């Protein structure tokens, strides 16, 4: 029978937006054929991230089933064979939930997708008579076993399936392993159902969805809920090609700028996306494949072939993002008015709030210039910088509007006298008005003084490791060098061969507490490597973003979000940020993380989550579970870009932590204004979207997947720990608005509170998606 299933291979190391884009093909099918896909399956891995349930539910799913391989696993079978519950409401931080069937591993591979296994008769007997299963598969109040039971799947990893009533033959001496029998499909399940139904039992051939509907109707009201993360297992293997995985992650982040540009251009030039839709579809398909579970590379495909395929998939993602941004910045530059001979450029802000920070414009002209903000008529601070051999004009761009741009003009002459440098570097000491650092020759930070909080010392040395430390007990390296000194920013450069040949650039900005760190490894490695961050905190609480959820990394029994059992604790997920806050909640540090995906908390092990050591070890790469799993020696790569940014703060503020990370990871985009015949956008500045609740963040803004004639799509995330409302204001007037799934299928029409305003309501930590049509 037809399955209404959205198959997916999620991974704890994925960005949330990558999870959603990987399901976009299902959304296109829904809209094209009037379908809905209420069932989503995330297969095999023994662990499962918490945030995934909210992403799945937000994409329109209601049900899920889960199987584990119990192979290539560090979790012992005695744990996998005894789940706490076999079926429950899988619930996210936002209260959204899916009905999840996750049977324990056991006879007939009951925990996996092979549940008929070698014998359907034995499988059914197990479900009906095994004391352990009946204890776990029971109403939590009455303790009576549930009446509705499901057996999903047949044949395992074999592409061929055997037809007929009898189970496949066994290979002698290898219990449970089926011979491959050539057949296009299996059609004997109705015979089994007829033969095995009796007065006590009715077998129904299910399309899976009707099982869940039956179970929900019969038992859903009394079912318990679970909202925990189980950590990472096969997810970790993407770190065996760390730079390739970082490229995919960077491309997902760059979608914010590229798609905003595409939206701005498409509103004035509706045919813009016509030449990009094929590349878009390939890229979104690639986002559903890149992090899939076969990083084990233990099948018939060689590891060299697997690694080459991953490189190809990453390239397809990058190609789409770069192509739409590359064309859109030229077209937008031609849509902004410019007087003849004026030397102007725009600065684009892809985020949903106004920002003041540095912007770099590619520039080969004279240094004898000043730069004017057209919106205010005032000169802005500027300096010439050289980055990787290329020359840029760096300005301090003030108040660049939300999801919009500001225009600056380069004029001859120095203008007003520039102030002194943004920061001072003397020997190993590096400081501005907000922070003072001591930088060692290997790029590690041995002292981190927060001037705003009574000169609190935030850096520590733990186990021989400091802040941004790659090799324990080492300060070997070249003499520190000051680079790109000016009124906007100053950079200190370090080079060392401690651990591996690597360089570190640390940049401070005028009046800012932000500390940007750019690390580059310049050698191959085949072991497991970390960048360590050790802090002087007494009672550290670590929160991280994990695939669409912000988790407190403590056990559930201690008030956190990690499962007390059936979990791996050695490596947590760190998507956009990690945040340490001290126990009294008066001092902390946010770490922005653009490139890596996983980290080890203190001295955490497979079975122990270390929540007392104020140290985070960011996984630079390696085959975490041994040489037989993942890709050896980073597929030969010899260059790795691994950046971070640090911000000291007082009390923990979840929204501020995410905003800081997004600002670091989404720099302003600059391009020349090249219009000759006037323009269709304002001359000095423009903002497409404004949000009146600072806790509700613009997560994505893009042309609708079905074309600009369907309007724009906006995705929003309420980062607060309580319900929220927000007015979403658009500069063009609106003709209609709909709440949609995350894969852009309409759910309901939303009344407009004004011609330019959409009112949205959110649960705690909830992400929502809307489509809007403009007049």
């Amino acid at each position: 029978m037809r399955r209404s299933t959205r198959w997916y291979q999620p991974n704890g190391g994925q960005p949330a937006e990558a999870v959603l884009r990987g399901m976009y093909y299902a959304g296109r099918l829904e809209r094209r054929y009037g379908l809905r896909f209420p069932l989503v399956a995330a297969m095999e891995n023994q662990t499962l991230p918490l945030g995934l349930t909210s992403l799945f539910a937000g994409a329109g799913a209601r049900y899920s089933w889960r199987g584990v391989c119990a192979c290539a696993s560090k979790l012992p079978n005695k744990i996998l064979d005894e789940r706490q519950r076999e079926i429950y409401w899988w619930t996210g931080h936002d209260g959204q939930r899916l009905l999840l069937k996750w049977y324990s591993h056991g006879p007939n591979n009951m925990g996996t997708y092979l549940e008929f296994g070698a014998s359907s008769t034995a499988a059914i007997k197990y479900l009906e008579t095994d004391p352990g299963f009946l204890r776990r598969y029971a109403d939590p109040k009455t303790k009576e076993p549930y009446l509705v039971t499901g057996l999903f799947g047949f044949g395992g990893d074999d592409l061929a399936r055997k037809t007929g009533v009898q189970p496949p033959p066994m290979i002698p001496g290898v219990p449970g392993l089926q011979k491959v029998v050539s057949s296009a499909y299996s059609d004997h399940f109705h015979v089994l159902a007829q033969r095995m139904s009796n007065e006590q039992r009715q077998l129904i051939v299910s399309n899976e969805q009707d099982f869940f509907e039956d179970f929900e109707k019969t038992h859903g009201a009394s079912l318990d809920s679970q909202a925990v993360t189980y950590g990472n297992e096969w997810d970790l293997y993407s770190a065996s090609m760390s730079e390739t995985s970082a490229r995919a992650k960077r491309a997902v982040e760059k979608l914010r700028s590229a798609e905003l540009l595409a939206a701005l251009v498409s509103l004035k030039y509706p045919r813009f996306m016509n030449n990009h839709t094929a590349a878009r579809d390939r890229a979104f398909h690639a986002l559903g494949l890149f992090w899939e579970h076969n990083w084990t590379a233990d099948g018939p495909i060689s590891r060299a072939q697997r690694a080459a395929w991953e490189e190809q998939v990453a390239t397809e993602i990058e190609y789409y993002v770069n192509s739409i941004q590359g064309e859109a910045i030229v077209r937008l530059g031609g849509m902004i008015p410019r007087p003849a001979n004026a030397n102007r450029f725009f600065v684009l802000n892809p985020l949903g709030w106004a920002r003041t920070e540095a912007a770099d414009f590619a520039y080969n002209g004279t240094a004898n210039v000043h730069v004017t903000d057209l919106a205010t008529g005032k000169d802005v601070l500027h300096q010439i910088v050289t980055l990787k051999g290329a020359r840029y004009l760096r300005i301090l761009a003030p108040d660049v509007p939300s999801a919009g741009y500001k225009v600056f003009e380069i004029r001859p002459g120095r203008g007003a006298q520039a102030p002194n440098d943004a920061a001072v570097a003397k020997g190993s000491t590096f400081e501005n008005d907000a922070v003072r650092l001591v930088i060692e020759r290997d790029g590690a930070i041995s002292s981190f003084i927060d001037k705003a909080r009574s000169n609190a010392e935030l850096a520590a040395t733990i186990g021989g490791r400091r802040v941004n430390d790659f090799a324990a007990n080492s300060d070997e390296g070249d003499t520190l060098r000051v680079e790109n000194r000016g009124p906007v920013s100053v950079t200190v450069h370090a080079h060392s061969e401690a651990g591996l040949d690597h360089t570190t650039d640390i940049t401070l900005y005028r009046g800012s507490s932000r500390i940007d760190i750019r690390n580059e490894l310049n050698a191959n490695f085949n072991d497991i490597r970390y960048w360590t961050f050790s802090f002087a905190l007494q009672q550290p609480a670590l929160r991280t973003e994990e695939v669409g959820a912000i988790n407190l990394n403590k056990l559930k029994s201690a008030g956190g979000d990690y499962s007390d059992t059936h979990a791996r604790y050695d490596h947590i997920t760190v998507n956009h940020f990690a945040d340490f806050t001290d126990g009294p909640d008066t001092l902390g540090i946010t770490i922005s993380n653009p490139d890596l995906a996983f980290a080890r908390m203190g001295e955490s092990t497979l079975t122990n989550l270390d929540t007392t050591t104020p140290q985070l070890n960011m996984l630079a790469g390696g085959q975490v579970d041994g040489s037989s799993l993942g890709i050896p020696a980073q597929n030969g790569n010899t260059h790795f870009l691994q950046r971070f940014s640090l911000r000291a703060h007082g009390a923990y503020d979840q929204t501020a932590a995410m905003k800081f990370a997004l600002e670091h990871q989404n720099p302003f985009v600059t391009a020349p204004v090249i219009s000759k015949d006037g323009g269709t956008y304002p001359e000095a500045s423009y903002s497409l979207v404004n949000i009146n609740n600072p806790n509700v963040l613009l997560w994505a803004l893009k042309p609708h997947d079905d074309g600009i004639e369907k309007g724009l799509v906006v995705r929003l995330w309420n980062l607060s720990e309580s319900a929220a409302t927000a007015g979403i204001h658009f500069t063009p007037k609106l003709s209609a608005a709909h709440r949609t799934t995350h894969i852009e299928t309409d759910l309901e029409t939303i009344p407009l509170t004004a011609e330019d305003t959409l009112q949205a309501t959110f649960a705690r930590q909830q992400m929502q998606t809307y489509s809007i049509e403009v007049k």
Side-chain angles (χ1 to χ4, degrees), residues 592-613:
S592 170
N593 169 51
D595 305 302
L596 303 179
F598 308 104
R600 179 165 54 87
M601 292 177 60
E603 297 300 322
S604 292
T605 64
L606 178 73
T607 57
N608 178 62
L609 189 66
D610 180 2
T611 61
T612 61
T613 304

Side-chain angles (χ1 to χ4, degrees), residues 599-639:
R600 179 165 54 87
M601 292 177 60
E603 297 300 322
S604 292
T605 64
L606 178 73
T607 57
N608 178 62
L609 189 66
D610 180 2
T611 61
T612 61
T613 304
Q615 183 184 73
L616 193 67
N617 299 282
M618 292 297 305
L619 179 60
Q623 291 175 270
V624 173
D625 281 351
S627 60
S628 63
L629 299 173
I631 307 300
Q634 296 293 321
N635 194 36
N637 206 318
T638 58
H639 179 263

